[in-house]
Amino acid sequence: MDKLKMQSPNLVDDNIDKIAKIFPNCITEARDEKGNVRRVVDFDLLRQELSHNLVEGPQERYTLNWPGKSEAILAANAPIAKTLRPCEEESVNFDTTQNLFIEGDNLDVLKLLQETYLNKIKMIYIDPPYNTGNDFIYEDDFAEDTESFLKRSNQKDEEGNRLIANTNANGRFHSNWLSMMYPRLKLARNLLREDGFIFISIDDNELANLKKLCDEIFGASNFIANFLWKKKSTTSNVKDAEVSSQIDYQLCYKKTQSAKLKQRIYSKENRNYPNYDSEGNFRTAVIEKKDSGAYKRDTMKFLIIGHPPREGKRWQIGENTARELELKNRFIWDGEKVVLKIYDFEDNDTYSAQPNLLESYGTSDGAAQLTNIELFGTPELFDNPKPIELIKHLSSISINKNEIILDFFSGSCSTAHAVMQLNAEDGGNRKFIMVQLPEASDEKFEAFKAGYKTIAEIGKERIRRAGKKIKEQLTTGTTEHTENKENKENKENTDSKVSTESTKKPGREKEDLFNSSSVSSVCSVVKNLDIGFRVFKVDSSNMKDVYYTPDEVKQGQLPLLSENIKEDRRPEDLLFQVFLDWGIELTLPVAKETIKGKTVFFVDNNVLAACFDTGITEEFVKILAKRKPLRAVFRDSSYGSDNVKINVEQIFKLMSPHTEVKTI
């Protein structure tokens, strides 16, 4: 029976497999530093396969290079023996939510998600350190080979001690930043769907380097735009000969040519209804269009409220529709042309705008949102949080209503807030994955004084409070709308005593129907709005070191092999490490049942059945096999006897042949 590998994938081996499929002649064998024979790439031969000319040695070429680049590539490809441990007590709606908050080093997280979310993320938004000399970057340890990575699988960075200040005095100022960004962007690309996008917030300090880095990772042909973002409305006082910048950037790339940004964004928020009559607020719209070429239509020329279309024009609506609108008093003659009245309560049209210049969302708006949404009731909670309108805007031009957004520099979780707000506004079901290192909060800010010791704690609390407030606002708005409607109906009932049915205004029935439908729609949004999130924390593997290096176990240590799982780990910890290893989405529902005294986890009904109890019997296995799960997993030390272990696979082959069975 096969064992799960229980570590992130080794991308070097995967890359060798890909090369072998195309150029099998470029694969050879060589001995590693331990004398073991391993499959390797003959790079000289591969270079020749990819060159039109005779390759004799290194040649000058256009490339981005820096001290430490080779180590950064190694860091991206090397596997790690770590896991994600669920933290139910810090989660919201753990059993039902589709959202994730992962606390830990984002390089580790991106590696752990390679199997589970490969080609599944539609949009990535990140706001990484700008490398201003005043912020921090990750100090990754690149001086290790694959085996060393596995040997130090128990390392932890609970205090965030891999963050260092990258000052201008550092001789590797730009190199350190590039070495931090390269492996993270390389791994992030794998997670994007073929039609996916990445947006990266950046300022002038590293814009040029980031553009070249992304050209290499995503391909220069997949560059979409460098959106200008007006981050503040006024300039700041600066030293002589310096300029106060009001602009930052949103660098945007697509994964492949199949990804298409929306050319226009749509919203009714900015639609104005400047006019008013007894029916309510309305705007006007021109209903004429040119009458020539393919648009020429004699049947679309007729009188509306006594006026024909102007010379060279015809109506955009047919005569039957026009007559219905005339009965409802929907037309106005403005002295030159006939225009249509469109009331706010029946407006199905939308406001559209080109997504070129992002000019109305400043960092001061982001700070105000943290205070105004009653998150913590204090300013100076976080340093320059991104406003949710910025992220809503980017989401609107790149994704639809039922897709996943990833932010692996999530900070105060503006992205999660934006996703929930956008879903509340349009009834969408977008999902978010937030990743944040438990970096210490700045002691000068009120957040630290209020007890939020890490940036991750601030982010989680923001999601909790923002989600609650969004739902409250929806509920309150529905209640007020219903009360206003009832008061309006009571007044109309009173007025009807002195009027007849024939004096009711045309269109009133449609207004009431629309309002009833609107209330019902909002109630549905409130019911379905996902404001929860599952919390996971990066930790060392659940498996003891002997699981990964059994060849190094000596004779006297053989008893260790009988129990390869750490004593402090729960069955739930094991379950979600199996999720990662088998590529199962971390948000799938989990049900727990007791069968013959054994605890069994059923994931999404029959996607996975997992039992980590000891003393497994053939009778138990037969009952489980009748459920016909797609996958089944047990502990290697679970079986009551060697015979049971041998027979488990045979039982499944006989009773549920499509079930894939493995052990840990």
Side-chain angles (χ1 to χ4, degrees), residues 349-449:
D349 199 1
T350 50
Y351 174 80
S352 63
Q354 292 284 357
N356 296 329
L357 177 64
L358 315 177
E359 59 179 345
S360 59
Y361 323 120
T363 53
S364 59
D365 297 323
Q369 285 159 0
L370 277 174
T371 303
N372 294 341
I373 63 173
E374 300 174 3
L375 287 181
F376 306 95
T378 177
E380 294 190 339
L381 178 73
F382 198 80
D383 192 13
N384 296 324
K386 290 296 180 289
I388 63 172
E389 285 79 7
L390 170 66
I391 302 168
K392 284 169 57 181
H393 180 101
L394 299 177
S395 302
S396 297
I397 63 175
S398 60
I399 68 172
N400 295 318
K401 293 184 178 182
N402 192 34
E403 294 166 332
I404 304 174
I405 299 175
L406 167 66
D407 183 347
F408 54 88
F409 284 97
S410 64
S412 68
C413 288
S414 295
T415 300
H417 189 170
V419 169
M420 293 187 295
Q421 185 66 51
L422 202 54
N423 285 340
E425 291 172 4
D426 65 10
N429 188 34
R430 303 167 187 84
K431 281 82 68 176
F432 63 75
I433 301 176
M434 300 292 104
V435 181
Q436 177 59 41
L437 186 77
E439 172 190 352
S441 303
D442 194 324
E443 294 185 14
K444 72 181 180 181
F445 288 137
E446 293 298 324
F448 183 87
K449 298 174 185 177

Side-chain angles (χ1 to χ4, degrees), residues 494-550:
T494 301
D495 293 342
S496 68
K497 294 179 181 179
V498 292
S499 64
T500 64
E501 190 69 25
S502 61
T503 62
K504 287 186 177 179
K505 297 181 181 299
R508 178 66 65 190
E509 294 81 0
K510 184 170 183 178
E511 179 183 356
D512 291 344
L513 178 63
F514 177 87
N515 288 337
S516 298
S517 174
S518 178
V519 171
S520 175
S521 176
V522 173
C523 288
S524 176
V525 171
V526 172
K527 179 181 178 181
N528 297 320
L529 183 63
D530 187 355
I531 59 172
F533 56 98
R534 284 184 175 179
V535 175
F536 291 90
K537 297 186 179 183
V538 176
D539 205 339
S540 61
S541 173
N542 296 311
M543 317 306 291
K544 293 180 179 178
D545 292 345
V546 68
Y547 182 89
Y548 299 103
T549 55

Side-chain angles (χ1 to χ4, degrees), residues 83 85-86 154 156 158 539-544 563-574 635:
T83 189
R85 299 181 68 183
N154 293 330
K156 296 182 181 179
E158 293 177 351
D539 205 339
S540 61
S541 173
N542 296 311
M543 317 306 291
K544 293 180 179 178
E563 184 51 73
N564 56 12
I565 297 172
K566 294 175 180 174
E567 287 76 9
D568 64 336
R569 301 306 165 96
R570 304 174 301 153
E572 288 80 4
D573 297 327
L574 302 178
R635 289 171 70 158

Side-chain angles (χ1 to χ4, degrees), residues 36 93 120 157 211 223 260 273 280 329 338 349 351 367 410 534 562 623 632 634 649:
N36 299 320
N93 302 332
K120 291 184 179 178
D157 282 314
K211 174 70 167 59
F223 168 69
K260 304 295 181 184
Y273 301 89
N329 192 30
V338 174
D349 199 1
Y351 174 80
S410 64
R534 284 184 175 179
S562 64
I623 295 174
F634 307 95
E649 273 191 297

